[in-house]
Amino acid sequence: MNRLRKICLLIAASLCCTEGIFAQVEKNPADTTAVNAPAAPQKPADDDAEEPLPPFDEKAPILKGTPKRYFIRKINLRGIEFLNKNVVQASTGLVPGDSIYLPNENIADVIGKLWNQRLFADVKVGATIEGDSVDLDIAVRERPRVYRWLFEGEGIGKGRQKDIIEKLQLKTGGELSDYVIDKNTKLIKKYFAEKAFRNAEVNVRIENDPVIQNAVNVTFVIDRKHKVKIGRINFNGNEQFKDKRLRRTFKKTHQKGINFFKSSKLKEADYETDKENLVDFYNSKGFRNFTVLSDSIYPINDRRLGIDLTVSEGNKYYIRNIDWVGNSVYPTDQLQRMFGVKPGDTYDKKTINKRLGYGKEDNPEDMSIKSLYQNNGYLMSQIEPAEIIIGADSIDMEMKIFEGKQFSINNVGISGNMRVNDEVIRRELYTLPGELYNRALLMQTIRQLAGMGHFDQEKIMPDIKPVSNELVDINWPLEEQASDQFNIAGGWGSGTFVGSVGITLNNLSVRNFFKKGAWRPYPMGQNQKFSISAQTNGTYYKALAMSFTDPWLGGRKPNSFTLSVHLSEQNNAYYFWQTATQYFRTTGVAAGLGKRLRWPDPNFSFYAEASYERYSLSNWNYFVMKNGSANTLALKLVLSRNTVSQPIYPRSGSEFTVSVQLTPPYSLWDGKDYASADLPDEERYHWIEYHKWQLKSKWYFPLTNNQNLVLMAGAEMGYLGHYNKYKISPFERFEVGGDGMSGYNMYGIDIIAMRGYEDGALDPSSNYAVAYNKYTMELRYPVILKPSSQIYVLGFLEGGNAFDSWKQFSPFRIKRAAGFGVRLYLPVVGMLGIDWGYGFDAPANQTGKSGSQIHFMMGQQF
């Protein structure tokens, strides 16, 4: 046809340089229409439409020629039934009246744009050329859209369906294709394989939606089959260690056994990691050339599979010589002492890497050669151990040190804080501009920021960016979390139920109290803390307590100031209409100053508090005093050290506190004969005197590579002493046993938790105890660690006791208990917990075991 030079260009773009990408494209090789998918209805061609484009023959010769300029006269878009034609045409970038060179790559780009929209199952492009004009013909076939993704099968409940949809990221309106179906089928099988259903079968049913046009519903029909677990793990070629010992090196891949706490599911990623653990184990025993020659996973039956590993142990190696090269900052003998590996030792690759600072399981707090350099500004320092094999069993090691230059901190940035002021965060930073980079201070800063309680502890990680050969920027991206708390609680004490309500504001700003617009809902930003709480049983007991703490008094130095007051009263007016004839009232006020210390190290702090307490009694027949008042003027001194990684779920570190609280020894100068039995109690206890000592400590040890499984070990003791044996204080004693909470506290006693026993069950008499000890071991594992909530489970062993005097005190006379529990931390509420404990011994002055006890707790306990 002379009027047309109809060239069925597959106008694939690169006519001059590409084969087979012409204007007609039948299928997208990476994304084909699903076999069972209903084809989109085709719009019939008009009577005067051009004849269909001939099919593309990949073997046809490529058109040759110099690109020529044409003007687009018309664009025919065919096959659009449900989409907007104007939008589709606009997405091609072609506009009538524009010029185009043919042959050229433009048309290939058009085809690519249409395919990339994933809206079409077929794309064809043709052209009709007349003179210097060209009509472009674009024919497409719309792909059906998925309206709903459905799941069928035994054990596929709503919760699991939601989990699968989230993991597969299935969305309504997504395209339907063989590729999508095949990909999601494989992902579903992988999902169930991780749940031990390794033989799961997945079939697909595709149906037209009865309401939505060009839409289908895809149903995955899942048959999970039986769970398949590891039946046995065998090793071949091992001579130095038995199979049983090698299986213990596998942390997450275990064969079926009597220990139901160990999962016997096979997860390929965990299995690969465990093979690396096997290599690490042999390397740590001197077998430097150990390798896993081969391994195979095979079915034993439809519910069990086996794993066989063939290994080559090689020779055991010993270190002959160690040489240090390139060190000028630190002498060789200092590096060697810190390294700790000596000539003659068994070659232990794991220990070598840990001492150098390149171990897989390194604790950031551990000292190493690398951290030694980085604590002195050598950020880019590197240590490369070179190993020279000598004979069949010896190794010479050459430690090549590249010290580099000292880095100073250039800029320190903070981001993500909306409620806490920049200046409040910056004063907690130990990484300051102009100072040498110091890794230890970096770790200290992480602990300080976590201890503030305003940020997600799991995400506090500095962004360290060198900006030159001697300068580094340190940025702190923070994610804030709610820190204020509102508590409503109830407790049982002295035979009655007591309810309490409290509010704690952890980010108060007193200086903004009178600032316009600062109340949102209260003036915040300065990290000051205010709390108020009230207790009552509704009739004869009520208490009110308030406290305020400024962690940086004056804003210049980390010297804290605390002020607190409390009031309480118990009487015999058991009903609202009664008038009390007996009462016991307590009034107290305390003020304290705290200071962070630099010696012996920056983790120490000191706190001093002065307090006054007044106890007023009227016709009170339940205590050593009946009438009158008792007064306490005391000074409390506390020395503590804290290196705990995080306050809510600590993974490493320790906390140690020793305190003494003492009053003036009034009996030395007041001239009263306290040995006389005729001295009234009102005079004997008008001014209380005592010295009170407490020691508390906790250690946290991570037991797994990811530091999630944590062992907490704790020990504490307390003693209430006296200056005059005839004037022993009836106040400030210890109540030991129970959950550590009480409905109310009348006599200034310290309540010591001891799970597995009832409240006060270990007190040797009704006058409480003057000494106690307690030991705890907890194994903790987190379930959820998110800013909105943190949950962990625990198992515990606990022992402790209470004593009437220091002479009776013994650290080895303890009452034992064991149990398990769970903790839930909600930023708005605080820490909540429930424990089940079993006491193996008899409570004080009783016979028989304490037995099973349930304990509820609220608040973070030291």
Side-chain angles (χ1 to χ4, degrees):
M1 305 187 212
N2 206 16
R3 92 175 173 93
L4 311 166
R5 280 185 311 160
K6 198 172 203 178
I7 305 173
C8 278
L9 301 171
L10 253 168
I11 305 183
S14 37
L15 276 179
C16 355
C17 55
T18 311
E19 292 193 24
I21 314 178
F22 283 82
Q24 178 172 318
V25 179
E26 297 291 345
K27 291 183 178 180
N28 185 336
D31 199 1
T32 57
T33 305
V35 174
N36 297 326
Q42 297 294 321
K43 187 176 181 179
D46 299 331
D47 293 339
D48 58 347
E50 298 287 346
E51 59 185 8
L53 295 173
F56 171 57
D57 182 0
E58 289 190 3
K59 298 181 181 180
I62 300 175
L63 296 177
K64 305 291 184 178
T66 302
K68 183 180 176 182
R69 184 183 183 187
Y70 296 93
F71 292 93
I72 301 176
R73 184 171 59 186
K74 184 168 60 174
I75 300 174
N76 298 316
L77 188 59
R78 297 189 288 114
I80 300 297
E81 181 73 19
F82 303 101
L83 299 172
N84 188 307
K85 277 191 175 184
N86 295 330
V87 173
V88 174
Q89 180 173 322
S91 67
T92 65
L94 299 174
V95 179
D98 284 355
S99 62
I100 187 173
Y101 284 88
L102 297 177
N104 202 303
E105 296 178 357
N106 297 44
I107 302 302
D109 292 340
V110 171
I111 296 172
K113 289 177 181 178
L114 292 172
W115 277 121
N116 290 338
Q117 294 181 54
R118 307 175 73 94
L119 298 172
F120 307 110
D122 207 356
V123 177
K124 300 176 181 178
V125 178
T128 302
I129 296 175
E130 186 172 355
D132 60 355
S133 299
V134 60
D135 294 342
L136 296 179
D137 189 36
I138 302 174
V140 298
R141 179 159 59 87
E142 290 182 310
R143 191 190 299 279
R145 315 303 289 170
V146 179
Y147 179 60
R148 287 191 297 174
W149 301 94
L150 304 171
F151 302 88
E152 290 182 3
E154 184 181 355
I156 316 298
K158 291 183 178 179
R160 178 151 286 176
Q161 288 185 33
K162 183 179 179 181
D163 192 24
I164 295 174
I165 290 174
E166 289 179 355
K167 287 186 179 296
L168 271 57
Q169 297 182 345
L170 299 175
K171 298 179 181 179
T172 299
E175 78 279 1
L176 178 67
S177 67
D178 285 343
Y179 168 74
V180 172
I181 296 297
D182 184 61
K183 179 191 74 171
N184 288 310
T185 299
K186 290 177 179 177
L187 289 175
I188 292 172
K189 289 183 177 180
K190 182 179 179 181
Y191 171 84
F192 281 99
E194 292 177 352
K195 307 292 183 185
F197 297 98
R198 299 183 61 84
N199 297 325
E201 293 182 357
V202 181
N203 294 311
V204 181
R205 186 173 68 245
I206 302 174
E207 302 168 314
N208 288 319
D209 189 84
V211 177
I212 309 298
Q213 288 187 326
N214 198 40
V216 297
N217 299 322
V218 178
T219 304
F220 293 100
V221 183
I222 303 168
D223 183 0
R224 298 184 305 171
K225 305 292 186 183
H226 298 296
K227 278 191 174 183
V228 180
K229 298 189 176 182
I230 302 171
R232 57 174 175 258
I233 301 175
N234 299 320
F235 296 88
N236 301 308
N238 52 308
E239 298 178 355
Q240 301 294 328
F241 302 97
K242 295 182 179 180
D243 285 17
K244 184 177 181 181
R245 178 64 186 92
L246 298 184
R247 291 189 194 104
R248 293 212 310 267
T249 67
F250 283 12
K251 305 301 182 184
K252 295 185 179 181
T253 308
H254 310 287
Q255 68 181 25
K256 189 71 176 175
I258 59 175
N259 187 352
F260 58 87
F261 288 108
K262 288 186 176 181
S263 172
S264 56
K265 296 184 293 187
L266 175 62
K267 295 183 179 180
E268 280 75 6
D270 291 340
Y271 174 55
E272 293 300 322
T273 301
D274 282 336
K275 285 195 293 184
E276 294 178 5
N277 293 336
L278 177 65
V279 174
D280 289 343
F281 168 74
Y282 265 97
N283 288 164
S284 69
K285 299 301 181 181
F287 295 92
R288 177 183 182 276
N289 296 328
F290 172 83
T291 56
V292 178
L293 298 177
S294 63
D295 65 307
S296 61
I297 302 173
Y298 56 91
I300 299 174
N301 52 48
D302 61 345
R303 299 197 179 193
R304 293 288 182 270
L305 56 84
I307 301 177
D308 286 349
L309 298 100
T310 302
V311 302
S312 173
E313 294 178 325
N315 295 332
K316 186 174 183 178
Y317 283 85
Y318 300 87
I319 296 176
R320 193 180 72 162
N321 295 311
I322 302 175
D323 294 322
W324 297 84
V325 178
N327 54 302
S328 61
V329 178
Y330 299 103
T332 297
D333 58 347
Q334 181 180 351
L335 297 178
Q336 182 59 49
R337 283 196 305 271
M338 177 169 283
F339 186 47
V341 179
K342 304 180 296 297
D345 288 352
T346 298
Y347 173 84
D348 184 347
K349 187 174 182 178
K350 183 176 181 180
T351 299
I352 291 171
N353 287 335
K354 182 177 181 180
R355 301 283 174 81
L356 293 177
Y358 296 96
K360 296 179 181 178
E361 305 170 16
D362 278 358
N363 185 339
E365 302 287 344
D366 291 343
M367 282 300 295
S368 63
I369 305 295
K370 182 179 179 180
S371 65
L372 177 67
Y373 273 94
Q374 291 195 349
N375 288 349
N376 196 19
Y378 293 93
L379 175 62
M380 295 301 180
S381 62
Q382 297 290 326
I383 304 103
E384 295 182 2
E387 301 174 359
I388 304 172
I389 305 299
I390 307 299
D393 62 354
S394 297
I395 296 176
D396 283 351
M397 299 199 69
E398 185 179 73
M399 303 299 179
K400 298 179 180 180
I401 299 180
F402 303 91
E403 294 175 333
K405 296 181 178 180
Q406 284 181 302
F407 276 73
S408 296
I409 300 174
N410 182 41
N411 291 318
V412 178
I414 301 171
S415 61
N417 55 309
M418 302 296 291
R419 294 188 291 264
V420 185
N421 295 348
D422 276 11
E423 64 185 65
V424 173
I425 300 174
R426 288 191 180 277
R427 70 191 187 190
E428 300 292 344
L429 303 181
Y430 288 84
T431 55
L432 304 177
E435 296 190 355
L436 285 177
Y437 175 85
N438 189 313
R439 184 171 180 266
L441 295 182
L442 203 71
M443 297 299 106
Q444 179 71 8
T445 300
I446 292 175
R447 288 195 299 269
Q448 288 297 127
L449 293 176
M452 293 178 70
H454 301 301
F455 311 109
D456 183 359
Q457 304 161 19
E458 301 297 317
K459 297 180 180 178
I460 299 177
M461 189 58 58
D463 181 16
I464 303 171
K465 294 182 177 179
V467 293
S468 71
N469 292 333
E470 298 180 0
L471 294 175
V472 60
D473 285 347
I474 299 178
N475 297 306
W476 293 94
L478 304 172
E479 184 173 318
E480 286 186 328
Q481 63 181 16
S483 57
D484 299 327
Q485 296 177 0
F486 175 73
N487 298 327
I488 298 179
W492 188 266
S494 299
T496 183
F497 180 83
V498 178
S500 65
V501 60
I503 297 176
T504 301
L505 307 179
N506 286 303
N507 190 26
L508 187 67
S509 177
V510 172
R511 72 183 186 185
N512 290 333
F513 256 54
F514 303 102
K515 187 176 180 180
K516 185 177 180 181
W519 289 76
R520 299 191 308 269
Y522 67 88
M524 62 176 64
Q526 288 296 309
N527 196 34
Q528 295 166 337
K529 180 179 179 180
F530 174 77
S531 66
I532 182 171
S533 62
Q535 289 181 304
T536 183
N537 68 350
T539 54
Y540 57 90
Y541 174 76
K542 45 191 168 292
L544 177 68
M546 291 185 293
S547 68
F548 169 80
T549 299
D550 186 347
W552 283 65
L553 182 62
R556 294 183 178 274
K557 294 184 178 181
N559 300 326
S560 65
F561 170 73
T562 300
L563 179 66
S564 62
V565 296
H566 64 272
L567 310 168
S568 67
E569 178 180 312
Q570 184 177 355
N571 55 49
N572 65 338
Y574 298 108
Y575 301 99
F576 292 108
W577 57 84
Q578 292 181 323
T579 301
T581 60
Q582 300 175 327
Y583 65 78
F584 185 105
R585 293 172 182 163
T586 303
T587 306
V589 60
L593 292 173
K595 181 178 179 60
R596 296 181 194 172
L597 304 180
R598 296 184 179 182
W599 185 89
D601 64 49
N603 300 307
F604 279 87
S605 63
F606 179 75
Y607 178 76
E609 180 184 87
S611 63
Y612 171 74
E613 201 94 20
R614 181 179 178 85
Y615 303 98
S616 301
L617 301 88
S618 177
N619 299 319
W620 196 253
N621 299 318
Y622 317 106
F623 195 53
V624 293
M625 292 177 59
K626 182 177 180 180
N627 291 287
S629 63
N631 301 273
T632 300
L633 183 63
L635 176 66
K636 184 177 183 179
L637 305 175
V638 182
L639 179 67
S640 61
R641 184 179 189 270
N642 191 326
T643 60
V644 171
S645 58
Q646 300 172 354
I648 305 302
Y649 188 76
R651 289 182 166 91
S652 61
S654 62
E655 49 186 320
F656 171 87
T657 300
V658 59
S659 66
V660 57
Q661 184 174 351
L662 46 86
T663 67
Y666 303 104
S667 59
L668 294 181
W669 60 70
D670 62 8
K672 296 180 181 179
D673 182 11
Y674 291 99
S676 172
D678 297 329
L679 186 67
D681 289 335
E682 290 82 353
E683 287 191 47
R684 185 183 303 273
Y685 300 117
H686 182 68
W687 284 101
I688 306 298
E689 62 178 31
Y690 62 84
H691 52 91
K692 184 177 183 180
W693 304 79
Q694 279 188 284
L695 174 67
K696 298 182 179 182
S697 58
K698 283 185 179 181
W699 295 267
Y700 299 91
F701 305 96
L703 302 180
T704 55
N705 296 349
N706 58 9
Q707 298 191 346
N708 279 345
L709 183 64
V710 175
L711 174 66
M712 186 280 291
E716 62 179 279
M717 60 83 63
Y719 168 62
L720 180 69
H722 54 270
Y723 306 115
N724 188 324
K725 65 179 180 180
Y726 299 110
K727 191 180 181 179
I728 300 176
S729 173
F731 300 94
E732 297 294 334
R733 298 193 174 200
F734 305 102
E735 181 184 84
V736 184
D739 51 23
M741 300 177 64
S742 177
Y744 54 81
N745 183 343
M746 294 299 299
Y747 309 116
I749 58 175
D750 282 357
I751 302 172
I752 310 302
M754 179 67 192
R755 292 166 290 190
Y757 297 86
E758 294 182 350
D759 293 347
L762 302 186
D763 295 345
S765 68
S766 60
N767 293 328
Y768 305 107
V770 299
Y772 80 95
N773 61 1
K774 177 185 171 183
Y775 312 99
T776 303
M777 291 185 67
E778 282 186 0
L779 196 63
R780 303 176 174 182
Y781 190 81
V783 178
I784 297 175
L785 293 178
K786 294 183 178 180
S788 58
S789 63
Q790 300 191 36
I791 303 174
Y792 66 88
V793 294
L794 59 90
F796 68 85
L797 298 173
E798 205 154 66
N801 210 345
F803 306 92
D804 260 337
S805 68
W806 183 250
K807 291 183 178 180
Q808 296 177 359
F809 177 85
S810 171
F812 306 108
R813 288 172 51 195
I814 62 173
K815 307 287 186 177
R816 301 160 300 165
F820 55 86
V822 62
R823 296 289 182 271
L824 167 63
Y825 177 80
L826 299 173
V828 178
V829 179
M831 184 71 78
L832 305 173
I834 180 172
D835 293 324
W836 174 85
Y838 188 89
F840 296 102
D841 298 297
N845 306 316
Q846 296 184 29
T847 59
K849 298 179 179 179
S850 174
S852 177
Q853 302 286 337
I854 300 293
H855 304 285
F856 297 92
M857 59 84 62
M858 174 176 286
Q860 187 85 333
Q861 296 184 351
F862 181 84

